[in-house]
């Protein structure tokens, strides 16, 4: 199994009751709550943690893209990947991922990923996402075009990476007379492509068809199993091949301490803040019109739930959305899920929400010494 | 009660639902983002004076969702076909909200096809310094409450459970609306400079307490369209034809009579 260290770079200095006034940390939480002086220290702290992960033996380190939110401080993941490029030597740098439809001209992504791939000697993993619903409220992009734009942007990028001659491109959304990127990627034919998702049949099919890596993020294990099984089935029945574990990934917050009780006590405020405050938003933010399929949107409307329900740590652990406990508990769970579900990439989020630097480092060290050696050969 | 007719009509390659009733000069009513398909009391009353035609736009309700529908101008072209289909030379054009924007676009594109133009709570232009409501961020309850001044009416609407078919239509309507108005939000940057093309006498109708497109929009339209008259209804939200049916109908019929 390949092990990755994932960072969201959250803003940890919010008033815990911010949501009483602002409902959500997305879109309209004013940036008067952001302090650039603290931000300077925070970026350097978070980058130190990512660099530390290489030293501790992780196969890769991961950054991601989110906009106008305290949830994550990386509107441009490529900039963070660039900051890591020359400070790391061995680990893969996984950008999970660039939100293609949010780019006015996504050829820029083809160029920047190529730059990073050449700069790092071919250590880049290129994730692609649509961006979450909230981001369509802030970007001038029509959510009803989200999927089509993603597909067209991807076609343009892939062709730009693999073509050795100048070509012209005329899509519905993007056009250029001369596509001819310099530099082109070092990895041949291009960096591995990962598709992070919270789960949709369309995304699973699209990913399986191209044999890219499907990464299920922050979901209960029932969802994880459902979508990874779907991938395997779709690969076999629709596309005629057997999916390999390397094509499947799971992104999950993990927290370790000496005992189960201590791990729960230490993780609780941070995990609960993450799932019940930072990630939470009304359905209207999450699912602007056209972002979901009609069928899914109808189900959302009929469920009549506004904000997602408050989930205490116990529930999140029970669902398998987070893994918290002593090394033996965590290892048992990971081995169990691995044997049941068969993923070849584990993307560990060892810092979340307000978890401070010392606790993050301790968590990382425990993972590296107590868990990592037992998983590498799975 | 005037008898009205509901039918599916094929215009070009597109099937649309249309409600119609009354006799006299043709009056084409263009509905807003919540969709058509309802013979509203205002239409009933207007039908006592005119031949009222209230189609459901392509992409809404029971009408087809054609491939060609990508932006507001596609609907402008569709309504040209629609008038040709009915062999109508000139109409009184009345549009509410999204339908009002569409009516303004149509009036710019085909100025000689209108006897009169009535815009009810219409977006379509950007009004500097005015922040419109964000219907896409409101949940159903907030939406209904913000659309109406009369909160008893809002309560009444909210107390009605939506059927499965109504939920489906609501998803469809909201998706088509987003397709037409998301970027730039609820306006066409080129419309203002073209409004000088409008020749028809124009009535602007607004609810004083409109929380979606505040009354400042009404004043802006009044300035931008030469000779336009503005009628403002007190204690009224985004839908004067629903909340203030009688004065609204009175206002429209008087306006049209005065043209004659």
């Amino acid at each position: 199994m390949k092990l990755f260290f994932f960072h969201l770079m959250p803003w940890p200095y919010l008033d815990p009751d911010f949501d009483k006034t602002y409902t959500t940390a997305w879109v309209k939480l004013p940036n008067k709550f952001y302090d650039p002086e603290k931000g300077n220290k925070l970026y350097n702290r978070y980058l130190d943690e990512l660099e530390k992960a290489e030293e501790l033996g992780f196969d890769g380190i991961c950054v991601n893209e989110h906009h106008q939110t305290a949830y994550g401080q990386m509107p441009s993941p490529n900039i963070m990947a660039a900051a890591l490029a020359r400070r790391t030597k061995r680990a893969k740098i996984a950008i999970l991922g660039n939100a293609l439809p949010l780019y006015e001209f996504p050829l820029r992504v083809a160029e920047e990923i190529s730059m990073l791939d050449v700069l790092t000697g071919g250590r880049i993993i290129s994730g692609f996402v649509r961006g979450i619903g909230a981001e369509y409220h802030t970007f001038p992009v029509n959510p009803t075009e989200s999927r089509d734009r993603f597909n067209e942007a991807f076609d343009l990028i892939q062709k730009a990476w693999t073509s050795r001659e100048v070509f012209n491109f005329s899509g519905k959304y993007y056009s250029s007379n001369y596509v001819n990127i310099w530099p082109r990627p070092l990895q041949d034919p291009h960096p591995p492509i990962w598709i992070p998702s919270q789960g949709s049949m369309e995304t699973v099919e699209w990913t399986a068809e191209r044999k890219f890596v499907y990464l299920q993020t922050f979901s209960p294990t029932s969802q994880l199993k459902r979508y990874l099984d779907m991938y395997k089935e779709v690969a076999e029945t629709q596309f005629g091949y057997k999916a390999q574990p390397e094509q499947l990934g799971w992104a999950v917050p993990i927290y370790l301490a000496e005992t189960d009780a201590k791990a729960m006590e230490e993780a609780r405020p941070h995990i609960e803040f993450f799932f019940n405050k930072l990630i939470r938003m009304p359905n209207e933010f999450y699912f602007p019109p056209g972002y979901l399929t009609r069928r899914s949107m109808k189900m959302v409307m009929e469920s009549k739930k506004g904000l997602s329900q408050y989930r205490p740590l116990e529930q999140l652990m029970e669902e398998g959305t987070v893994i918290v406990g002593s090394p033996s508990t965590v290892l048992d769970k990971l081995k169990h899920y691995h044997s049941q579900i068969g993923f070849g990439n584990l993307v560990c989020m060892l810092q979340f929400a307000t978890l401070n630097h010392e606790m993050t480092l301790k968590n990382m060290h425990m993972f590296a010494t107590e868990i990592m050696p037992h998983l590498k050969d799975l | 009660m005037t008898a009205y007719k509901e039918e599916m009509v094929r215009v070009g390659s597109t099937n649309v639902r249309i409600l119609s009733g009354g006799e006299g000069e043709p009056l084409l009513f263009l509905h807003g983002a919540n969709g058509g398909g309802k013979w509203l009391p205002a239409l009933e009353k207007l039908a006592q004076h005119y031949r009222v035609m209230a189609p459901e736009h392509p992409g809404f309700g029971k009408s087809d969702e054609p491939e060609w529908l990508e932006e507001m101008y596609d609907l402008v072209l569709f309504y040209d076909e629609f008038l040709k289909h009915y062999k109508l030379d000139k109409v009184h054009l009345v549009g509410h909200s999204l339908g009002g924007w569409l009516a303004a676009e149509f009036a710019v594109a085909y100025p000689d096809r209108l006897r009169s133009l009535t815009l009810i709570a219409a977006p379509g232009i950007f009004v500097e310094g005015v922040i419109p409501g964000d219907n896409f961020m409101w949940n159903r309850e907030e939406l209904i409450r913000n659309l109406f001044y009369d909160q008893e009416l809002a309560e009444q609407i909210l107390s009605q459970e939506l059927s499965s078919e109504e939920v489906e239509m609501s998803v469809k309507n909201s998706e088509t609306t987003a397709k037409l108005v998301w970027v730039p939000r609820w306006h066409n940057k080129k419309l203002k400079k073209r409004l000088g093309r409008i020749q028809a006498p124009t009535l602007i109708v607004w609810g004083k307490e409109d929380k979606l497109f505040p009354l400042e929009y009404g004043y802006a339209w009044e300035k931008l369209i030469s000779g336009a008259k503005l009628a403002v209804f007190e204690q009224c939200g985004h839908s004067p034809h629903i909340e203030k049916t009688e004065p609204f109908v009175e206002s429209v019929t008087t306006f049209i009579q005065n043209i004659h």
Side-chain angles (χ1 to χ4, degrees):
Chain A
M1 191 191 300
K2 295 271 188 259
L3 297 169
F4 291 79
F5 174 81
F6 179 88
H7 219 306
L8 269 176
M9 298 198 175
W11 184 252
Y13 304 118
L14 286 183
D15 175 348
D17 288 330
F18 77 91
D19 55 333
K20 290 192 176 133
T21 313
Y22 293 99
T23 314
T24 169
W26 292 79
V27 185
K28 294 202 289 185
L29 181 69
N31 69 7
K32 66 185 174 193
F33 299 116
Y34 181 81
D35 175 346
E37 297 289 340
K38 285 183 180 164
N40 167 261
K41 291 191 180 69
L42 197 63
Y43 267 154
N44 284 292
R45 172 199 146 186
Y46 286 161
L47 286 165
D48 286 348
E49 289 167 5
L50 281 153
E51 290 164 20
K52 189 71 173 176
E54 177 184 64
E55 201 185 306
L56 290 173
F58 282 89
D59 297 291
I61 50 182
C62 316
V63 293
N64 90 330
E65 170 173 343
H66 282 299
H67 298 269
Q68 303 200 170
T69 173
Y71 175 83
Q73 307 304 304
M74 282 183 280
S76 170
N78 300 345
I79 288 180
M80 283 305 162
L84 292 165
R86 278 172 47 92
R87 301 269 298 173
T88 56
K89 296 291 172 227
R90 174 193 55 80
K92 301 279 184 199
I93 299 175
I95 300 161
L96 304 176
N98 274 282
L100 300 184
L102 302 185
Y103 279 81
E104 193 164 345
F105 189 47
L107 193 64
R108 188 108 199 166
V109 176
E111 292 181 324
E112 289 181 4
I113 296 292
S114 297
M115 286 173 71
L116 288 164
D117 201 45
V118 172
L119 183 62
T120 58
R123 288 191 284 129
I124 296 297
I125 289 172
S126 179
F128 293 137
V129 294
R130 289 199 288 146
I132 70 162
E135 283 149 353
Y136 288 79
H137 284 283
T138 60
F139 273 67
V141 179
N142 199 314
T144 65
E145 296 171 351
S146 162
R147 212 170 277 278
D148 280 355
R149 280 183 181 267
F150 178 92
N151 292 340
E152 189 177 311
F154 172 77
D155 290 343
L156 171 61
I157 290 167
Q158 192 181 41
K159 196 167 174 195
W161 277 344
T162 52
S163 176
R164 296 292 169 265
E165 297 294 338
V166 181
F167 66 93
N168 63 358
F169 189 90
S170 177
K172 185 172 174 186
Y173 305 104
Y174 314 114
S175 297
S176 170
N177 257 355
Y178 306 102
V179 182
N180 178 29
I181 58 165
W182 287 67
R184 60 182 170 85
L186 189 149
Q187 295 180 81
D188 187 24
H190 52 68
I193 291 171
W194 285 27
I195 306 295
S197 171
Q198 290 207 301
S200 89
M201 195 158 74
E202 292 80 5
T203 303
V204 168
E205 279 177 3
W206 189 93
T207 311
E209 184 179 0
R210 290 162 181 80
K211 302 188 179 175
F212 296 157
V213 174
Y214 177 83
L215 178 70
Q216 183 76 24
T217 58
F218 308 151
S219 314
T221 44
S222 57
Q223 294 289 307
L224 174 73
K225 182 163 173 32
R226 179 173 166 213
Y227 288 107
L228 298 197
D229 283 352
M230 189 187 288
Y231 188 115
K232 291 179 221 167
E233 194 192 321
V234 162
E236 192 142 342
T237 57
Q238 284 190 44
F239 306 115
Y241 73 92
K242 191 167 162 47
Q244 300 302 308
E246 305 84 74
Q247 289 171 260
L248 304 170
W250 179 25
V252 59
I254 298 173
Y255 190 77
L256 290 146
E258 290 71 13
T259 64
D260 287 350
K262 187 161 186 261
M264 284 179 67
E265 189 193 333
E266 288 177 2
R268 181 184 302 279
H270 313 289
I271 290 273
E272 291 185 352
F273 191 76
F274 178 75
F275 281 96
N276 298 308
K277 303 268 180 168
L278 284 182
I279 209 170
R280 209 157 172 242
M281 67 185 89
N283 281 339
E284 290 69 30
F285 284 53
Y286 228 145
F287 310 120
Y291 183 80
L292 294 178
T293 60
R294 287 274 165 89
R295 202 172 131 256
S296 306
M297 192 63 207
K298 191 180 173 218
M299 279 161 61
V300 168
M301 279 189 68
E302 284 177 336
S303 81
K304 287 191 187 138
K305 283 190 202 133
L307 287 167
S308 51
Q309 303 299 304
Y310 191 95
R311 288 185 286 175
L313 178 64
E314 286 76 5
Q315 185 187 339
L316 292 159
M317 288 170 64
E318 175 73 30
E319 294 167 354
T321 304
V322 301
I323 300 185
V324 174
S326 67
S328 69
T329 302
V330 169
L331 188 59
D332 284 351
K333 284 192 177 176
L334 288 172
K335 280 184 168 172
H336 170 73
Y337 294 134
H338 176 265
S339 70
Q340 296 287 304
I341 304 172
F343 43 87
N345 300 291
L346 184 67
V347 174
C348 312
M349 189 163 78
L350 303 176
Q351 193 285 334
F352 31 81
T354 39
L355 195 72
N356 69 31
H357 187 51
E358 290 66 35
M359 291 170 89
T360 303
L361 286 183
K362 184 177 160 242
N363 194 24
M364 292 171 71
H365 276 285
M366 281 190 88
F367 188 91
T369 51
E370 311 270 350
I371 307 292
M372 192 181 281
H374 304 284
L375 294 183
K376 284 238 166 182
D377 294 330
L378 284 184
Chain B
M1 188 171 164
T2 318
Y4 77 94
K5 196 163 63 171
E6 176 175 340
E7 59 193 328
M8 295 298 293
V9 182
R10 193 169 179 84
V11 178
S13 57
T14 307
N15 296 302
V16 288
R17 170 159 68 164
I18 173 164
L19 277 55
S20 57
E23 284 174 13
E25 292 179 347
L27 183 150
L28 179 61
F29 179 84
L30 303 178
H31 67 75
N34 282 342
K38 284 195 186 113
W39 190 247
L40 298 166
L43 299 180
E44 165 74 18
K45 288 184 190 305
L46 286 168
Q48 289 162 14
H49 306 269
Y50 314 104
R51 175 186 173 196
V52 174
M53 311 179 79
E56 198 160 34
H57 312 317
F60 286 84
K62 290 195 172 164
S63 295
D64 282 355
E65 276 188 286
E67 284 279 315
W68 53 256
L69 181 59
E70 291 176 335
E71 56 177 291
M72 195 60 89
Y73 200 73
D74 292 320
L75 286 183
V76 171
L77 297 178
F78 170 81
Y79 278 106
D80 174 48
E81 293 299 316
F82 180 91
L83 294 187
K84 284 179 184 154
H85 175 90
Y86 282 98
K87 299 189 170 56
L88 295 171
D89 183 29
K90 284 190 163 202
V91 294
H92 296 290
L93 187 59
V94 180
H96 169 234
S97 194
L98 176 144
W101 173 6
L102 172 57
E105 294 272 5
F106 188 88
V108 162
Y110 301 101
D112 49 359
R113 306 288 292 278
L114 269 60
R115 288 172 194 266
S116 71
L117 173 65
T118 300
L119 305 181
I120 313 164
I125 50 173
F126 180 76
V127 184
E128 193 70 47
V130 179
I131 301 173
D134 189 344
N135 56 300
F136 294 112
M137 277 196 179
W138 293 335
N139 62 33
R140 181 163 183 264
E141 177 168 355
E142 289 164 334
L143 179 74
I144 305 289
R145 289 197 181 281
N146 286 335
L147 288 182
F148 294 102
Y149 173 83
D150 179 355
Q151 289 301 297
E152 275 178 31
L153 177 60
E155 299 274 354
Q156 196 190 321
I157 297 169
L158 284 167
S159 68
Q160 290 157 12
E161 190 88 351
L162 293 182
S163 69
S164 171
E165 192 192 34
E166 282 170 329
V167 172
E168 258 165 47
M169 279 199 197
S170 161
V171 171
K172 177 176 174 179
N173 292 349
S174 126
E175 203 172 307
T176 301
T177 299
K179 196 187 269 191
L180 300 173
V181 314
W182 195 272
V183 192
R185 189 62 58 84
W186 282 113
H187 69 282
N188 170 5
K189 291 185 191 296
K190 294 185 176 154
L191 182 57
K192 261 185 203 173
K193 69 174 183 184
R194 297 171 180 159
L195 289 173
R197 286 170 54 81
I198 295 179
Q199 295 167 5
T202 301
L203 174 67
I204 314 291
V205 178
W206 231 269
K208 197 175 168 197
E209 285 82 17
D210 190 333
K211 288 187 181 166
L212 184 55
F213 304 119
L215 179 57
E216 283 86 349
Y217 274 74
Y219 296 135
W221 281 115
E222 188 188 20
K223 273 196 202 127
L224 287 164
I225 300 179
S226 172
K229 290 184 177 58
L230 174 66
V232 179
F233 295 99
E234 307 257 340
Q235 300 190 327
C236 179
H238 182 61
S239 303
H241 60 304
I242 295 173
E243 278 196 271
K244 299 286 168 192
T245 303
E246 292 197 8
F248 164 78
V249 171
E250 170 75 23
S251 170
V252 173
T253 50
T254 308
F255 160 68
I256 291 177
Q257 264 166 25
N258 289 343
I259 300 170
H260 299 134

